């Protein structure tokens, strides 16, 4: 039973609950609710999900420590988002759940009240939209999202899909060859001019100068960024052996996207050449959220000799 | 060239000028030709557009740079060209970051030109592009032979033409001893002799706007507006006296500026439209012989002057149009502006006027009675220019010719 009515006299339905003011304690009469989470600002969840939105589907896991969302691209990229329980205003987990869902649909629902943009910076502004996530154990029931802004409530019922396996990159944390931690804003500035139309990005990390170098080889020339160890942008630098790998440019586009909301970025490469990029994202609460990417190195391109020394290059139209 | 590296270092106070100047060049042509001139101790960047109807050259002198290649290295010169597109991305980086230092490194061994940008936070960005050795790009023109020469502050010129919409293809200058009119081309005559009245406006300036004003030949010339606007893009950064040489139709118009305190200068040559009958003086002559080039161009010596876009009334201008060579021709090219189908010479108008607008005489403005609706810009800017030019003006008859 509901204790308070919201400003508008909302329609009561038989099976689904009414959404009220977010701070109100919800009482359910249905026993197989497996998971309920409440968040005062849907922007938090939406912006984190946006950074890993590079595929259609995502896996949703609700764990005792928080929620984890996994997105994979067939081309061997995996993006994970971790949102700790303490970020949520309320987090109730009955059983661990895991299902697959259509990411774009959920993002559209979270943004159903629109995304106001700052007129100057064109960054999304914080909003007053609260969200509640409900999920029942039975997979035939849809995922329920309730969004509320100033008394207007939107109920979203999203079908869930069958769970699938996810790639285990087997990132050897004990065998990390190099680790570099950057301040996100400074690193974003460094990447701003990198040519993202190139096929691949070459990463060079050595103990000598230049300590960290990103090279993008395009048609007719190349662009590179060197960041020295003593740059204020670099917080930590560890390198046991020199690394020179190539990764698909597409992956770096994801990195740039995540940099907009992150405070810190950590890049780790293990002995197999797998790159793990982790972003620390602070929202309103003190507890940060984490987004991480795993990229495999581009084997074919490593062998490919980028022979751009021919004189025809300058005359070719891009 | 031998296996050496030529390093030029630009101090932070000149970086913006370098970036802006190069940005203008990247817009005016497809390839940028670079040459180190030992005689005048300058590094020049030149470009010409695809149809070879415009030529631009900006030269940076020794004092512009903080560091300059050693004297003994200058025995081997730099003569090469790079893609304007690659240069554009490097220039964009130069203009958008705060730099502590900018280096240009010509690496002969790899045929590579690198722009090394030292940004803040100890970040170094390197944009490199490949260059091709070639002969220099040189346009032949003789500034001294022009009958008309005026000099005006570039910002004033920019203000006067700022409101000319970019979609207009050309701009016309009509200059007499008493006034200097900048306007759009007049009415377009269709094939069936019908006239189209379009909206038009003009800016009328008095000689007082100019720093120097020497008109000996009543001129009426038309040239490409788009490129002219690119050229004026430099005016945002530097407000310099710009000298304009021009005279008869068909003869190119030359814009020169000399930023003495910044140690660089520029010359821009734009072809102008010829009369219908093709009466023109010998115009533009561009020499570009390339020894290393393997292109097999068998075109004639004459490459037609090609307008960029068709007029705004939708009529297709005829005239000879031959696609301009996109690679450097092996032969000496000589450009003659093509014959256009219509003649803008005001003395020859033989069509009936349906309308006449009443001429009103404001102070500092006049309207011309041609039959189309002419919107006259009352020269508010004239007054501004007047105040500025009063500082510079000594004697109106003084001719301040720029020395080459």
């Amino acid at each position: 039973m509901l204790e308070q009515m919201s400003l508008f006299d909302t329609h009561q339905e038989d099976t689904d609950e009414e959404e009220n003011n977010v701070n109100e304690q919800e009482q359910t009469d249905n026993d197989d609710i497996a998971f309920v989470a409440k968040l005062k600002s849907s922007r938090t969840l939406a912006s984190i999900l946006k950074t890993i939105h590079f595929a259609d589907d995502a896996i949703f896991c609700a764990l005792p420590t928080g929620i984890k969302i996994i997105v994979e691209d067939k081309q061997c990229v995996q993006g994970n988002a971790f949102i700790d329980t303490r970020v949520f205003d309320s987090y109730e987990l009955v059983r661990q759940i895991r299902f697959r869902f259509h990411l774009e649909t959920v993002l559209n629902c979270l943004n159903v009240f629109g995304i106001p943009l700052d007129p100057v910076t064109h960054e999304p502004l914080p909003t007053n939209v609260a969200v509640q996530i409900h999920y029942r154990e039975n997979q035939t029931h849809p995922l329920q999202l309730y969004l509320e802004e100033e008394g207007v409530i939107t109920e979203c019922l999203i079908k869930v899909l069958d769970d699938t396996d996810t790639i285990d990159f087997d990132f050897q944390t004990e065998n990390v060859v190099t680790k570099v931690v950057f301040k996100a804003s400074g690193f974003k500035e460094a990447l701003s001019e990198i040519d993202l139309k190139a096929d691949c990005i070459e990463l060079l990390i050595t103990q000598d100068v230049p300590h960290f170098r990103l090279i993008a080889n395009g048609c007719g020339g190349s662009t590179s960024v060197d960041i020295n160890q003593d740059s204020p942008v670099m917080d930590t630098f560890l390198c046991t052996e020199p690394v020179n790998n190539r990764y698909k440019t597409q992956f770096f586009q994801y990195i740039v996207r995540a940099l907009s909301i992150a405070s810190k970025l950590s890049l780790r490469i293990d002995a197999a050449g797998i790159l793990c990029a982790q972003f620390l994202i602070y929202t309103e609460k003190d507890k940060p959220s984490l987004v991480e990417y795993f990229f495999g190195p581009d084997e074919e391109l490593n062998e490919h000799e980028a022979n751009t020394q021919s004189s025809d290059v300058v005359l070719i139209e891009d | 060239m031998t296996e050496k590296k030529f390093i030029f270092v630009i101090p932070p106070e000149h970086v913006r000028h370098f970036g802006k100047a190069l940005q203008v060049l990247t817009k005016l042509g497809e390839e940028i030709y670079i040459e180190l001139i030992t005689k005048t101790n300058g590094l020049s960047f030149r470009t010409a557009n695809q149809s070879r109807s415009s030529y631009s050259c900006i030269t940076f002198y020794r004092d512009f740079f903080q560091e300059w290649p050693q004297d003994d290295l200058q025995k081997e010169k730099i003569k090469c060209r790079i893609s304007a597109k690659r240069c554009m991305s490097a220039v964009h980086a130069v203009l958008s970051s705060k730099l502590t230092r900018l280096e240009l490194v010509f690496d002969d061994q790899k045929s590579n030109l690198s722009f090394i940008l030292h940004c803040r936070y100890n970040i170094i960005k390197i944009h490199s592009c490949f260059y091709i050795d070639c002969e220099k790009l040189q346009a032949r023109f003789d500034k001294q032979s022009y009958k008309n020469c005026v000099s005006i502050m570039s910002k004033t010129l920019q203000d006067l033409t700022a409101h000319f919409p970019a979609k207009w293809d050309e701009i016309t200058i009509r200059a007499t001893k008493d006034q200097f009119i900048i306007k759009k081309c007049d009415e377009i005559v269709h094939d069936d002799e019908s006239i189209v009245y379009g909206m038009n406006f003009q800016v009328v300036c008095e000689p007082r706007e100019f720093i120097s004003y020497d008109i000996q030949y009543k001129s009426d010339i038309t040239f490409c507006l788009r490129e002219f606007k690119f050229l004026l893009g430099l005016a945002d950064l530097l407000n310099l006296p710009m000298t304009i040489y021009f005279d008869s139709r068909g003869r190119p118009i030359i814009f020169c500026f000399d930023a003495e305190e910044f140690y660089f200068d520029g010359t821009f040559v734009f072809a102008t439209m010829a009369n219908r009958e093709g009466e023109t003086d010998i115009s533009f002559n561009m020499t570009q012989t390339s020894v290393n080039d393997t292109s097999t161009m068998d075109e004639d010596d004459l490459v037609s002057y090609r307008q960029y876009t068709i007029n705004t009334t939708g009529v297709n201008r005829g005239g000879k149009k031959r696609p301009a060579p996109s690679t450097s021709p092996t032969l000496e090219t000589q450009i003659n502006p093509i014959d256009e189908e219509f003649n803008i010479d005001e003395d020859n108008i033989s069509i009936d006027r349906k309308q006449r607008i009443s001429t009103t005489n404001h102070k500092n403005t006049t309207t011309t009675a041609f039959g189309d609706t002419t919107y006259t810009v009352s020269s508010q800017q004239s007054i501004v220019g007047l105040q500025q030019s009063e500082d510079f003006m000594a004697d109106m008859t003084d001719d301040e010719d720029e020395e080459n």
Side-chain angles (χ1 to χ4, degrees):
Chain A
M1 284 300 291
L2 305 162
E3 287 163 359
Q4 262 190 11
M5 294 298 281
S6 61
L7 284 168
F8 303 91
D9 207 353
T10 46
H11 170 68
Q12 279 242 0
E13 285 178 293
D14 292 1
T15 47
D16 296 337
E17 289 86 356
E18 270 303 323
E19 164 81 270
N20 249 341
N21 200 306
V22 181
N23 297 322
E24 273 293 301
Q25 196 58 20
E26 273 275 348
Q27 294 188 13
T28 68
D29 25 80
N30 227 323
D31 282 330
D32 51 325
I33 284 278
F35 171 66
V36 178
K38 298 178 197 179
L39 200 55
K40 223 178 245 179
S41 169
S42 65
R43 192 102 288 282
T44 309
L45 187 58
S47 55
I48 291 174
L49 286 184
K50 186 101 179 74
T51 63
I52 52 169
H53 178 44
F54 54 85
D56 290 331
D57 295 339
I59 305 278
F60 183 98
C61 309
L63 309 162
T65 47
I67 64 171
K68 175 177 175 181
I69 298 157
I70 309 168
V71 182
E72 274 172 5
D73 193 0
K74 287 179 281 289
Q75 293 171 10
C76 293
V77 186
Q78 186 185 75
N80 303 324
F82 296 94
I83 307 178
D84 195 272
T85 55
R86 281 165 282 180
V87 175
F88 290 91
D89 293 290
S90 154
Y91 191 93
E92 293 162 29
L93 185 68
V94 175
R95 282 171 284 280
Q96 282 198 29
I97 50 169
R98 185 179 159 118
F99 57 82
R100 191 161 59 101
F101 67 98
H102 193 249
L103 187 51
E104 174 123 18
T105 309
V106 168
L107 266 175
N108 287 337
C109 293
L110 286 172
N111 292 324
V112 75
F113 287 107
I115 312 173
L117 294 174
D118 188 293
V120 173
T121 61
H122 298 287
E123 299 281 328
L125 291 169
T127 55
N128 256 343
V129 180
V131 62
Q132 281 197 17
I133 310 169
H134 293 238
Y135 184 69
R136 299 183 194 185
E137 185 60 48
N138 191 343
Q139 279 200 341
T140 58
H141 276 89
L143 171 69
Q144 296 159 302
L145 284 180
Y146 296 94
L147 287 112
E148 187 252 334
E149 182 185 48
E150 317 239 339
V152 177
I153 296 156
T154 304
E155 179 188 2
C156 311
L157 305 170
I158 299 151
K159 274 196 165 55
V160 302
L161 310 162
D162 290 331
D163 187 12
T164 52
D165 287 332
T166 51
I167 305 169
D168 180 13
F169 269 83
D170 193 22
F171 185 73
Q172 304 156 25
T173 31
E174 66 283 355
N175 219 354
V176 165
V177 167
T178 174
K179 173 178 173 175
V180 194
V181 178
F182 291 103
K183 287 195 178 51
S185 52
F187 193 68
K188 188 172 181 195
E189 199 179 296
L191 279 195
S192 60
E193 298 300 329
I194 213 93
D195 182 13
L196 290 174
K197 288 196 292 265
D199 285 325
C200 67
I201 304 263
E202 197 177 319
L203 202 56
L204 178 71
I205 306 179
T206 61
Q207 290 116 332
D208 310 315
V209 165
H211 298 111
F212 179 89
R213 177 180 280 182
L214 265 170
I215 308 164
N217 283 311
C219 158
S222 70
T223 327
S224 75
V225 177
D226 289 353
I227 306 180
N228 209 308
Q229 190 180 8
D230 40 319
S231 161
V233 158
M234 200 183 279
D235 281 344
T236 315
F237 181 82
L238 285 152
C239 182
T240 52
E241 46 181 80
V243 168
N244 186 356
N245 293 337
R246 289 181 202 216
Y247 301 93
K248 281 213 172 61
T249 314
Q250 210 182 5
F251 304 163
F252 278 84
Q253 290 173 351
Y254 306 149
I255 285 186
V256 170
R257 210 195 297 179
L259 280 174
S260 329
I261 56 169
S263 340
K264 280 207 172 99
L265 155 69
S266 142
L267 290 173
R268 291 180 303 160
I269 302 180
D270 69 359
I274 299 173
L275 171 66
C276 171
Q278 288 178 323
F279 300 84
L280 213 60
I281 298 164
Y282 284 94
T283 48
E284 301 101 31
K285 298 277 165 65
D286 289 328
K287 186 78 188 140
S289 307
L290 185 74
V291 169
E292 71 181 356
Y293 283 101
F294 289 102
F295 305 150
D298 218 324
E299 301 296 344
E300 306 107 34
L301 290 176
N302 270 330
E303 283 141 26
H304 175 254
E305 283 302 314
N307 188 11
T308 41
Q309 278 277 357
S310 65
S311 58
D312 307 301
V313 168
V314 174
L315 306 172
I316 289 173
E317 287 294 310
D318 273 6
Chain B
M1 300 221 280
T2 61
E3 287 152 15
K4 289 201 167 39
K5 277 195 186 181
F6 296 84
I7 302 178
F8 297 84
V9 177
I10 299 170
E13 57 270 17
H14 290 161
V15 163
R16 270 206 85 76
H17 300 124
F18 184 74
K20 228 24 185 146
L22 228 52
Q23 191 182 46
V24 169
L25 287 180
T26 56
K27 288 187 193 155
L28 288 173
E30 309 258 311
E31 284 175 343
I32 298 182
Y33 292 74
I34 308 174
E35 191 198 346
L36 180 62
I37 313 168
T38 44
K39 191 172 54 172
T40 50
N41 238 2
L43 182 69
S44 78
F45 292 80
R46 296 163 212 240
T47 187
N49 69 356
Q50 205 175 24
S51 51
R52 295 290 187 260
S53 60
S54 79
Y55 162 86
S56 320
C57 170
I58 299 184
T59 308
F60 300 93
Y61 296 104
R62 171 69 185 91
D63 291 323
F64 183 82
F65 299 93
Q66 200 172 350
E67 276 168 42
W68 183 264
Q70 297 297 319
D71 275 333
D72 56 303
L73 287 184
Q74 286 186 8
K75 288 198 191 75
E76 295 94 25
K77 301 203 189 75
I78 298 173
K79 257 194 245 176
C80 59
R81 66 174 199 259
I82 59 175
S83 151
K85 230 183 210 171
R86 288 294 316 174
C87 196
M88 211 185 275
S89 60
V91 163
H92 182 68
V94 166
L95 289 173
S96 54
S97 332
K98 287 193 188 56
L99 301 181
T100 55
R101 191 176 151 103
L102 171 63
E103 286 172 27
L104 284 176
V105 180
F106 291 83
D107 187 343
D108 203 24
Q109 209 163 14
K110 300 184 207 154
S111 279
N112 194 325
L113 164 63
S114 304
F115 292 79
I116 302 178
L117 288 75
H118 293 248
C119 312
R120 54 182 180 168
Y121 306 139
N122 254 337
I123 296 175
I124 301 174
K125 297 186 192 176
I126 306 175
H127 287 251
S128 36
C129 42
F130 295 103
Y131 63 70
I132 299 175
D133 290 333
C134 64
E135 286 305 309
K136 66 180 189 180
L137 178 72
Q138 180 69 52
R140 282 210 282 265
F141 52 89
D142 180 14
K143 284 193 281 197
Q144 310 307 323
S145 68
Y146 280 85
K147 301 195 188 77
N148 294 341
C149 168
V150 304
S151 181
I152 185 173
M153 296 302 282
S154 56
K155 232 175 155 88
T156 311
L157 194 56
Q158 191 190 34
D159 289 340
L160 291 172
T161 52
H163 51 276
F164 281 65
K167 64 174 185 179
W168 284 1
D169 304 323
E170 289 118 19
I171 191 172
T172 300
I173 290 181
R174 251 174 233 212
T176 63
K177 279 197 169 45
D178 307 315
Q179 54 184 353
F180 189 92
I181 303 176
I182 308 173
K183 65 197 300 271
K184 183 187 184 223
C185 277
D186 283 336
E187 74 285 335
I188 312 302
V189 180
H190 287 230
D191 285 333
D192 58 351
E193 296 300 315
S194 64
I195 318 146
V196 178
Y197 294 103
M199 189 168 98
N200 199 347
F201 57 81
Q202 63 189 21
V203 178
V204 181
C205 315
E206 284 209 348
R208 284 181 294 170
E209 306 266 359
F210 295 82
I211 300 165
S212 75
Y213 195 82
D214 176 23
I215 302 284
Q216 280 156 31
Y217 176 89
K218 186 175 147 190
S219 277
D220 178 2
I221 53 175
T222 305
F223 55 96
C224 182
L225 175 61
R226 191 165 150 265
E227 290 175 333
F228 179 61
K229 285 216 170 202
F230 288 149
L231 150 64
L232 287 179
L234 265 182
D236 279 335
L237 195 57
L238 319 153
N239 192 9
L240 298 164
M242 190 166 280
T243 309
I244 312 174
Y245 299 89
F246 58 99
D247 52 43
S248 54
R249 298 173 66 78
R251 271 196 98 189
I253 181 170
I254 304 175
F255 297 85
C256 303
F257 69 86
D258 189 354
E260 270 173 34
E261 59 267 32
F262 300 113
Y263 308 108
F264 69 99
D265 62 28
T267 306
F268 300 84
V269 185
F270 298 148
T272 62
M273 275 174 23
N275 289 333
R276 192 206 303 245
E277 292 78 27
E279 296 153 8
T280 104
D281 303 332
I282 295 300
S283 50
F284 235 150
N285 231 322
M286 296 212 353
T287 347
Q288 195 194 333
T289 52
S290 175
V291 175
N292 299 330
D293 215 314
T294 55
S295 68
T296 50
M297 291 289 306
D298 285 335
E299 295 255 316
D300 299 345
D301 288 12
L302 295 175
V303 175
S304 314
Y305 166 60
R306 184 182 72 171
Q307 299 280 3
Y308 268 111
T309 48
I310 310 304
N311 65 53
T312 51
T313 58
V315 174
N316 215 350
R317 286 197 188 126
K320 272 180 285 195
K321 270 188 203 162
R322 196 177 282 117
S326 54
T327 57
S328 44
T330 50
L331 309 166
E332 182 176 310
T333 58
Q334 181 178 325
I335 286 98
N336 275 335
I338 57 166
D339 301 339
E340 293 295 318
E341 280 184 346
F342 54 92
N343 188 0
I344 307 175
D345 200 353
E346 60 188 272
D347 300 331
N348 288 350
I349 289 172
S350 55
I351 30 184
D352 269 354
R353 296 287 160 199
K354 290 197 180 148
Q355 289 177 339
R356 276 211 165 259
I357 56 168
S358 55
T359 53
T360 49
N361 278 320
H362 299 289
K363 191 176 174 192
N364 284 350
T365 69
T366 50
T367 58
T368 50
F370 278 125
D372 49 338
T373 315
T374 305
Y375 185 89
T376 308
V377 176
S378 166
S379 48
Q380 236 174 334
Q381 286 127 341
S382 300
I383 301 166
V384 171
L386 181 67
Q387 281 157 357
Q388 282 177 349
S389 53
E390 268 174 10
D391 296 337
F392 293 100
M393 192 173 66
D395 188 341
M396 279 314 304
T397 55
D398 268 2
D399 207 345
E400 280 150 28
D401 254 312
E402 302 283 346
E403 289 308 307
N404 195 358

